[in-house]
Amino acid sequence: MESFVYTTSPSHVIFGPAGKSSSQLLNRLECREHHAVLILSTPGQAEKANVLAHALTPNTVGVFSKAAMHTPIEITREAVQAAEDLKADSIVSIGGGSTIGLGKAISIRTGLRHFCIPTTYAGSEMTPILGETVDGIKTTRRDIAIIPETVIYDVSLTMSLPLAISITSGINAIAHAVEALYAPDTNPIIRLMAKEGIGALSQALLIITASPQDLEARTKALYGAWLCGVCLGSTTMSLHHKLCHTLGGSFNLPHAETHAILLPHTFAYNSPAVPSAARDLAYALGDAEGDAVKALNSLLDRLSVSRALSNYGLREEDLGRAASIAVRNPYGNPRKVEEGKIQELIRRAWAGEHAKADL
């Protein structure tokens, strides 16, 4: 048996029947004696935030609905000021990774307790990681104080999630677990969670594609996203996340879509160095031939994922600069990161090609 270190998350997770989020949250807030809650959302989730604010009356002091992708510092500063002006004693984020990221950014700066209700499959709610963008550069930091105090999973809030967002945020979560399979600080418990999370999410997403209102599949997807988020929060990020952070922070590419497109390519690049992870991934995806790269390509095809970064605004003339930024201050990776090969990896993703393990 290998030697390893396993640290559990201090976050309190409530995974219960659909439609119970507001009552569970109110109980949790009152238990913590919080009576001045600031609710966070993106502009697109403002209606859900206002419904939640009404449900929590009179414990709510306001709603801040300006959360944005990649957590730009100027939005964070505005939100922190709003929390101070309203004398908030806690914050509640309702939404996906953008809103949860803003909640983390406020919490780590102010010390306010962060309560979280995820409505996508991104998994950010289970991590002590904060990614922020300043002057076009996205950086990350890790601190146990960043992780939300309480996470409430309510499947009813994912039933109206558009199919395209369901698929890309689900692949985003799968990417978290894939990197955890070969992270330098992985361990047997995390690998079990990773395989279970990948299997649950991939199976659920295929059903959701055909039947978006399937409650059992939506529940299974949220369960898988939770496990994948735990994996990300428990291990070191590698090349995949570095490239996603580079393309998102410096070129304003959409977060989940970028993760989905890059995942087969980044795993293909690393696969020669991580044969056991490749076997585990192929098993989790149900590939009888044991070809993890082929299985990832097939999954994205079956889910009708748009495969080209060029569709989201990345220009061919940006490829060299993207590769140059990506190899600066590289994250730990099982295979040496070489700028020329990374540029070709990005080019393939830009062009929408299928991933190949030949770099």
Side-chain angles (χ1 to χ4, degrees):
M1 174 66 73
E2 65 189 277
S3 298
F4 63 89
V5 175
Y6 174 61
T7 303
T8 58
S9 167
S11 187
H12 185 84
V13 175
I14 300 173
F15 197 113
K20 300 294 185 180
S21 64
S22 60
S23 61
Q24 294 277 16
L25 176 58
L26 184 57
N27 292 339
R28 195 72 182 161
L29 290 169
E30 290 181 345
C31 184
R32 292 291 188 270
E33 298 184 350
H34 292 306
H35 305 291
V37 181
L38 176 63
I39 297 176
L40 311 173
S41 77
T42 60
Q45 295 270 24
E47 183 177 349
K48 285 183 179 178
N50 288 324
V51 169
L52 182 61
H54 178 73
L56 295 179
T57 305
N59 292 57
T60 308
V61 293
V63 174
F64 184 91
S65 295
K66 297 183 182 181
M69 276 195 314
H70 311 303
T71 321
I73 190 66
E74 55 272 18
I75 298 295
T76 296
R77 288 170 178 157
E78 185 178 349
V80 167
Q81 188 62 55
E84 292 176 353
D85 292 344
L86 293 167
K87 296 181 171 54
D89 62 12
S90 56
I91 49 177
V92 173
S93 59
I94 179 167
S98 297
T99 305
I100 295 166
L102 178 60
K104 290 177 173 182
I106 297 170
S107 178
I108 195 64
R109 286 172 168 81
T110 64
L112 296 177
R113 276 201 175 102
H114 180 193
F115 300 81
C116 180
I117 304 177
T119 63
T120 72
Y121 306 131
S124 174
E125 66 277 0
M126 293 309 302
T127 77
I129 303 165
L130 171 61
E132 298 183 285
T133 303
V134 181
D135 298 329
I137 300 295
K138 187 171 184 178
T139 59
T140 61
R141 58 170 161 162
R142 182 185 291 258
D143 189 318
I144 197 65
I146 290 171
I147 197 166
E149 195 267 5
T150 296
V151 179
I152 297 175
Y153 289 103
D154 183 342
V155 177
S156 69
L157 295 176
T158 68
M159 298 302 293
S160 60
L161 188 65
L163 180 58
I165 299 175
S166 300
I167 299 306
T168 53
S169 70
I171 299 297
N172 180 10
I174 287 173
H176 302 332
V178 168
E179 282 210 326
L181 287 173
Y182 57 75
D185 51 355
T186 192
N187 61 68
I189 303 302
I190 291 301
R191 286 197 295 271
L192 284 172
M193 288 186 179
K195 288 184 284 187
E196 174 74 2
I198 292 167
L201 252 176
S202 59
Q203 294 163 23
L205 292 176
L206 290 168
I207 296 171
I208 290 168
T209 299
S211 181
Q213 296 301 306
D214 189 302
L215 180 60
E216 183 177 351
R218 288 286 185 180
T219 303
K220 191 171 186 177
L222 202 57
Y223 163 73
W226 167 38
L227 294 179
C228 291
V230 172
C231 292
L232 174 64
S234 303
T235 56
T236 301
M237 293 182 291
S238 298
L239 173 64
H240 175 82
H241 282 84
K242 178 65 175 182
L243 289 181
C244 291
H245 293 161
T246 296
L247 294 171
S250 298
F251 299 91
N252 201 35
L253 266 62
H255 183 79
E257 291 83 350
T258 302
H259 272 274
I261 292 170
L262 282 176
L263 178 57
H265 296 282
T266 54
F267 188 81
Y269 182 87
N270 279 328
S271 59
V274 290
S276 62
R279 288 192 296 271
D280 285 343
L281 178 56
Y283 172 82
L285 292 174
D287 185 83
E289 299 176 12
D291 188 333
V293 177
K294 176 185 173 184
L296 284 172
N297 280 323
S298 175
L299 178 64
L300 265 61
D301 286 344
R302 294 172 69 188
L303 295 174
S304 299
V305 172
S306 175
R307 302 294 296 267
L309 292 175
S310 59
N311 293 336
Y312 297 99
L314 187 67
R315 303 172 303 172
E316 188 171 9
E317 55 265 36
D318 292 330
L319 302 183
R321 186 162 72 92
S324 176
I325 295 171
V327 299
R328 297 176 199 163
N329 304 313
Y331 298 172
N333 198 62
R335 181 182 173 192
K336 183 180 179 181
V337 175
E338 301 177 50
E339 184 172 340
K341 292 181 178 180
I342 296 305
Q343 183 169 338
E344 172 59 13
L345 184 161
I346 298 172
R347 188 206 64 77
R348 293 177 181 184
W350 169 82
E353 299 176 8
H354 273 204
K356 295 184 293 184
D358 62 351
L359 289 178

